[in-house]
Amino acid sequence: MARAPRLTESAGAVFAVLAQAGTATRPQLASLARLSKPTVSSAVAELEGVHLAAHSGTSSGGTGRSAAVYRLGPAAGAVLAVDLGPALTRVRGCALDGTLLAEATGPRDEAADVVRDALSALPPDAPLRTIVVAVGDVTAPQRVRPATAKAGPVFDAVAVALPPGVPVHLENNVNCAALAELHEGAARGRHTFGYLRIGVGIGLGIVVGGQVLAGANGAAGELARLPYPWDDGLEPRHEALEEYIGSRSLLGRAAAAWPESDGACPRTAEQLFTLAGQGSATARAIVARHAVDVGRLAAAVTAVLDPGLLVLGGSTGAYPQLLPGVRAELERLSWPTEVVSSQVGDLGTVVGAARLAVARGVQTVTQAARTKD
């Protein structure tokens, strides 16, 4: 990995705001960075000298005078985001201003090849600054490792394809999806909400004050650990709630209730919800019962967090057909809370991971700035 050049503090600040803005003039950079125009001019010259910023044309102002427009330079580099989903691996490569440079998708068991495809599509002269890998496990805060480290089968699935020497951050997949909903999805403009994922597993992304709440152990929102069942004579089992609400059990209940007169039993959640939408009474009853179960889980979340908004996502949770039943059960058991379906869908995790990767990539360039100019 190419090391970022050592910058003055003001150059680091200007680089950070330029990465966020995408393009900007020196007066705009001065306003965004809250620095004087002479300081910004010196910082821009410094960034141009090490190819971290580049001239990108001119802009005409209201007085008729034109101003130089700047963008990130070729040495700014790129980042990689990897979503190790249960079935698919999704990868995105982005510039440090968030521009999409490469993407690839493939089966989970071919994760390393999917990563190699995305890496090969990145500009060859762009140094790779950081990698974020989204996994379905608890990830300790600030968990960073070199690409050559061993972290068990989840990480090892892609580690062999990652360039050595590049910092790798493991992030929880549900938290990544919550970030995507915050910035690009159903929770835009909302600073506090919960992202409730219902699919093969269950999980909760908690956003408070515009920031994802990770918890002391990185385990905030691990709903699978809620004790279940609570009933006389029944002992709660480890992750029994996830087992009950997860899509495998949903399809198992469908198989048990499906009459031969209704034809072939649905084998996927998509088939089940499609049949419900087409009017199948059996499918609609199963979906309605699932909505009640999700609504009860939503009521538990609301009782603890009072988030004001719950975004339903995941391979089963995102279906709008669940909304009426979830809303009704939540209203019956708790106080009024807005419930909506995810707007980022299956891409949520990799989109959120890419956003985190960009932020960390900018940090790798700016953190070596001198304390004094």
Side-chain angles (χ1 to χ4, degrees), residues 317-363:
Y319 282 97
Q321 292 163 280
L322 288 178
L323 285 177
V326 172
R327 288 168 174 164
E329 189 68 1
L330 178 57
E331 183 178 2
R332 185 179 76 85
L333 296 173
S334 191
W335 43 82
T337 300
E338 185 180 0
V339 184
V340 299
S341 297
S342 166
Q343 291 182 2
V344 295
D346 294 340
L347 294 178
T349 295
V350 75
V351 167
R355 180 171 288 274
L356 285 173
V358 166
R360 295 191 184 280
V362 171
Q363 287 178 355

Side-chain angles (χ1 to χ4, degrees), residues 223-234:
L223 299 179
R225 300 298 176 90
L226 285 174
Y228 177 85
W230 274 20
D231 200 352
D232 293 341
L234 295 177

Side-chain angles (χ1 to χ4, degrees), residues 9 19 48 54 72 85 150 169 181 200 217 238 316 343:
E9 188 176 4
E48 284 189 290
L72 295 185
K150 294 292 183 182
H169 301 259
E181 296 291 349
V200 175
N217 299 297
H238 180 72
T316 60
Q343 291 182 2

Side-chain angles (χ1 to χ4, degrees), residues 43-287:
V44 168
E46 181 183 346
L47 293 172
E48 284 189 290
V50 292
H51 307 293
L52 289 174
H55 187 256
S56 182
T58 58
S59 174
S60 298
T63 62
R65 299 178 61 183
S66 60
V69 177
Y70 296 90
R71 56 174 173 79
L72 295 185
V79 297
L80 198 71
V82 182
D83 169 20
L84 287 176
L88 294 177
T89 296
R90 294 182 173 88
V91 185
R92 284 193 168 194
C94 297
L96 295 196
D97 62 1
T99 301
L100 181 64
L101 301 175
E103 59 183 338
T105 303
R108 171 65 180 269
D109 58 4
E110 298 176 12
D113 290 333
V114 178
V115 170
R116 292 188 185 100
D117 289 343
L119 285 170
S120 66
L122 291 175
D125 58 344
L128 192 61
R129 298 298 183 191
T130 194
I131 300 166
V132 167
V133 180
V135 297
D137 299 330
V138 173
T139 57
Q142 304 300 320
R143 188 175 177 185
V144 185
R145 62 186 69 250
T148 53
K150 294 292 183 182
V154 172
F155 182 71
D156 292 348
V158 295
V160 294
L162 301 180
V166 181
V168 178
H169 301 259
L170 300 184
E171 300 286 351
N172 178 265
N173 57 357
V174 178
N175 288 345
C176 289
L179 273 179
E181 296 291 349
L182 172 66
H183 293 285
E184 303 179 36
R188 279 175 293 185
R190 306 290 287 265
H191 299 292
T192 298
F193 70 96
Y195 169 76
L196 183 56
R197 172 173 283 184
I198 308 294
V200 175
I202 61 175
L204 177 69
I206 305 167
V207 176
V208 178
Q211 301 293 323
V212 172
L213 179 65
N217 299 297
E222 287 294 317
L223 299 179
R225 300 298 176 90
L226 285 174
Y228 177 85
W230 274 20
D231 200 352
D232 293 341
L234 295 177
E235 187 74 14
R237 304 188 315 278
H238 180 72
E239 297 186 350
L241 182 60
E242 181 173 75
E243 179 185 334
Y244 173 73
I245 293 185
S247 58
R248 293 188 182 94
S249 291
L250 171 64
L251 293 174
R253 288 191 289 274
W258 205 260
E260 292 184 3
S261 58
D262 280 8
C265 178
R267 295 182 177 274
T268 66
E270 181 180 8
Q271 292 175 356
L272 174 64
F273 280 86
T274 297
L275 288 169
Q278 293 173 349
S280 164
T282 304
R284 292 178 67 177
I286 294 166
V287 167

